[in-house]
Amino acid sequence: MRVLHIITGLGVGGAEQQLRLLLRHLPAECDVVTLTNPGPVADGLRADGVSVTHLGMRGNTDLTALPRLTGFVRRGRYDLVHTHLYRACVYGRIAARLAGVRAAVATEHSLGGREIEGRPLTRGTRALYLTTERLGAATVAVSPTVAGRLRDWGVPGPRIHVVPNGIDAARFRFDASGRRATRRRLGVPADAYVVGGVGRLVPGKRFDVLVEAVAAVPGVRLLLAGDGPEREALHALAVRLRAVDRIRLLGECDADGVAALLSAADLFVSASREEAFGLAVVEALAAGLPVLHSTCPAVDDLPPDDAPGATRLRDGGVRELTDALRARTTAGPRRLPPPRAVGRYDIARGSRLLMDVYAHALDTARPDRDRPEHFHPYPTRRALP
């Protein structure tokens, strides 16, 4: 089976790194097109032997990208097109239909209740998504929570398939020697209590709440992996709170860098306002860390016994998180065995589930399936987020 994956960009992000990990386990011949930003993940994919093409799209409304993408899909003679992230889903599903590909599948990685990929949802965003969704054969939700949001949007239930994000759990297993080495490299005392955080530095992740809580508990240190538009504001906040010597913004980290951080930490915190899955929380659980989280479908959608080390915060505000940190530091650090939740999210299992979706899409798709009678193949300028 020849599959073309189309993604909006390949910078360091959850969806982008998930695609790279997935392609290492997917039993299909796969190529990748990135509409924009062929960043570090593109380099990683090429190192894995995957063909990556940069389409050179200049923005959300660069309509010249559509015929280029359609031509690329047609020349590749792919059996199936799989799209990732909003812009790629809109343009990719249209291009797949115009190129005559038998079936298209889209994964919805980042749909929140009020946001999509960190941006506010608008009526235009939703309308364009639903219009182009009908051009595909199936839509993959990364959690039951996202599946429910898609149904609430109006996507028919039979078209939605839950395939959770996955991890390579062995990669995040606690490493005592790695813990010592990472702390030495970062100048963190061996006996310090360290909080870890991972994610793109954007307002929705609420890392400002985490910085304020850590600053309020003397002696606690924060290691934060990720980059984004909030980096300077978070640094300024740490300076203003006189905690800059205890708070390290590490920048973008690959999976090995995240694994090293998790081994060095004593507690993981996710204060995000909304999540579609919560991959970093699962990675932290695989490392044996206790976790405090505001929202995390990867844990919240499971029975409590599947992730006993994860504690959900009531409101996730600064006061509640500060009190929780004080209690954890008083109790001291502890490592836990990886819970059942980690096994549920094994990447090999996820790849098998996705292959089942591919088979279903190819078996049920028809050349004219669900084609709107008056569908115009070019998206409007104001509808894209």
Side-chain angles (χ1 to χ4, degrees):
M1 180 189 301
R2 282 178 51 76
V3 179
L4 177 65
H5 293 264
I6 304 174
I7 191 166
T8 300
L10 284 172
V12 176
E16 296 85 352
Q17 297 193 83
Q18 184 67 194
L19 175 60
R20 183 185 178 191
L21 183 59
L22 178 68
L23 294 192
R24 291 176 173 175
H25 294 81
L26 205 61
E29 182 184 348
C30 297
D31 296 333
V32 174
V33 165
T34 180
L35 302 185
T36 63
N37 185 24
V41 178
D43 296 336
L45 284 166
R46 291 186 179 112
D48 294 342
V50 178
S51 172
V52 179
T53 299
H54 178 211
L55 196 68
M57 192 173 186
R58 295 188 298 273
N60 286 341
T61 57
D62 179 9
L63 301 184
T64 65
L66 184 56
R68 297 201 306 275
L69 182 59
T70 301
F72 184 93
V73 175
R74 183 179 291 118
R75 290 189 299 273
R77 303 180 65 84
Y78 295 99
D79 300 300
L80 183 142
V81 165
H82 187 166
T83 62
H84 307 263
L85 300 175
Y86 182 88
R87 194 194 311 183
C89 287
V90 169
Y91 281 87
R93 284 185 287 217
I94 297 171
R97 174 59 64 93
L98 294 176
V101 175
R102 185 175 171 190
V105 170
T107 292
E108 186 44 68
H109 293 271
S110 304
L111 177 62
R114 298 177 297 276
E115 298 178 347
I116 186 165
E117 298 169 22
R119 301 177 181 180
L121 286 168
T122 66
R123 288 186 179 181
T125 298
R126 178 174 171 174
L128 184 57
Y129 185 96
L130 290 174
T131 299
T132 57
E133 195 278 336
R134 289 184 289 164
L135 300 179
T139 295
V140 172
V142 297
S143 67
T145 293
V146 171
R149 291 168 182 165
L150 288 168
R151 284 192 294 270
D152 291 343
W153 268 32
V155 178
R159 294 171 60 82
I160 302 170
H161 304 260
V162 176
V163 178
N165 284 331
I167 68 167
D168 180 356
R171 194 170 197 173
F172 297 96
R173 188 176 297 127
F174 174 66
D175 179 354
S177 62
R179 173 186 176 88
R180 292 190 293 269
T182 300
R183 287 193 170 211
R184 282 196 303 269
R185 177 171 57 83
L186 297 176
V188 177
D191 60 349
Y193 192 92
V194 175
V195 176
V198 175
R200 183 159 166 74
L201 305 186
V202 294
K205 296 292 185 179
R206 299 203 310 165
F207 286 122
D208 58 329
V209 172
L210 180 53
V211 167
E212 289 193 46
V214 168
V217 185
V220 173
R221 294 176 179 250
L222 172 63
L223 299 178
L224 182 54
D227 207 349
E230 292 289 294
R231 182 184 179 93
E232 292 304 319
L234 292 172
H235 176 76
L237 178 61
V239 171
R240 187 166 68 251
L241 296 173
R242 299 182 179 179
V244 70
D245 59 326
R246 296 189 284 119
I247 294 171
R248 292 290 301 272
L249 305 180
L250 304 178
E252 291 182 345
C253 293
D254 60 13
D256 291 334
V258 171
L261 179 154
L262 296 176
S263 285
D266 300 300
L267 174 71
F268 186 84
V269 175
S270 172
S272 295
R273 181 170 54 244
E274 288 189 328
E275 288 284 356
F277 183 76
L279 192 65
V281 167
V282 179
E283 293 169 349
L285 292 172
L289 284 175
V291 170
L292 298 174
H293 69 281
S294 292
T295 179
C296 177
V299 171
D300 299 337
D301 290 343
L302 299 179
D305 289 346
D306 279 12
T311 302
R312 185 166 186 173
L313 301 165
R314 292 186 304 277
D315 59 39
V318 174
R319 178 177 296 180
E320 181 186 15
L321 184 53
T322 301
D323 290 344
L325 290 183
R326 287 196 177 107
R328 297 296 176 121
T329 55
T330 299
R334 61 182 181 133
R335 285 281 160 174
L336 306 170
R340 283 196 297 270
V342 173
R344 284 179 176 264
Y345 299 129
D346 176 71
I347 188 63
R349 176 176 179 266
S351 69
R352 292 193 296 270
L353 292 174
L354 187 58
M355 288 301 294
D356 290 342
V357 176
Y358 287 177
H360 172 80
L362 290 169
D363 286 345
T364 59
R366 296 291 182 270
D368 59 348
R369 186 176 187 267
D370 296 334
R371 185 178 180 91
E373 184 177 353
H374 301 295
F375 178 74
H376 193 282
Y378 295 91
T380 61
R381 290 182 177 271
R382 63 179 181 177
L384 283 170

